[in-house]
Amino acid sequence: MADSSFDIVSKVERQEVDNALNQAAKEISQRYDFKGVGASISWSGDKILMEANSEDRVNAVLDVFQSKLIKRGISLKALDAGEPQLSGKEYKIFASIEEGISQENAKKVAKIIRDEGPKGIKAQVQGDELRVSSKSRDDLQAVIALLKGKDFDFALQFVNYR
């Protein structure tokens, strides 16, 4: 019988991020506490730009955007938001969406699987994802449960389970 396997990835569906951004922009344009403070949120290339005339308001814009991401099922670990910066009279926050597992993070996950997971599990890094394989599907389920119990500083999804 062939080995069973699954891939560990860190991907974000861009359309869902776009939907969350549009919902946040709509809420910001309609909310009373954002009237007259120049608050806005938009795409700036492949980064997300949040602007307002005070540091508190720009942080509130970020908070609205984060709540919309959560409602759309996107992990906040994928959002890399910078600190508010004063630019002229406006405060700005640039945020980016992190995708893919870096080589060092993939090695950390593979080491956890080797050290704490069941015996006979193979984990190999393939680009920005990690393939985990084993003869036993039960062992693969145990690895998924083990990794879900860990707190990583990046989002994980488990795909291509076969």
Side-chain angles (χ1 to χ4, degrees), residues 74-90:
I74 298 170
S75 172
L76 291 182
K77 292 177 182 178
L79 180 70
D80 182 23
E83 292 298 312
Q85 301 166 338
L86 184 59
S87 172
K89 293 182 178 179
E90 296 267 305

Side-chain angles (χ1 to χ4, degrees), residues 71-129:
K71 283 184 182 172
R72 293 223 156 251
I74 298 170
S75 172
L76 291 182
K77 292 177 182 178
L79 180 70
D80 182 23
E83 292 298 312
Q85 301 166 338
L86 184 59
S87 172
K89 293 182 178 179
E90 296 267 305
Y91 280 88
K92 296 181 179 186
I93 294 178
F94 284 98
S96 60
I97 302 296
E98 301 292 319
E99 285 195 296
I101 301 174
S102 69
Q103 290 290 333
E104 62 191 46
N105 286 338
K107 287 178 182 172
K108 282 184 207 168
V109 173
K111 182 171 176 15
I112 289 172
I113 291 170
R114 273 194 315 275
D115 294 347
E116 301 177 29
K119 299 293 174 234
I121 296 272
K122 295 187 284 288
Q124 52 224 144
V125 179
Q126 296 179 335
D128 61 351
E129 57 186 45

Side-chain angles (χ1 to χ4, degrees), residues 2-61:
D3 284 1
S4 299
S5 68
F6 67 89
D7 295 333
I8 301 172
V9 297
S10 181
K11 288 194 167 52
V12 175
E13 199 170 318
R14 179 143 171 115
Q15 184 61 49
E16 288 296 323
V17 175
D18 204 33
N19 291 343
L21 187 133
N22 290 336
Q23 285 180 337
K26 185 173 183 183
E27 181 173 323
I28 289 163
S29 71
Q30 292 175 345
R31 267 182 40 183
Y32 179 75
D33 57 336
F34 286 119
K35 294 277 187 246
V37 297
S40 68
I41 182 170
S42 62
W43 285 105
S44 173
D46 57 347
K47 290 192 179 287
I48 297 161
L49 171 64
M50 292 162 260
E51 296 177 300
N53 66 0
S54 74
E55 193 171 346
D56 291 342
R57 290 292 95 203
V58 79
N59 282 326
V61 171

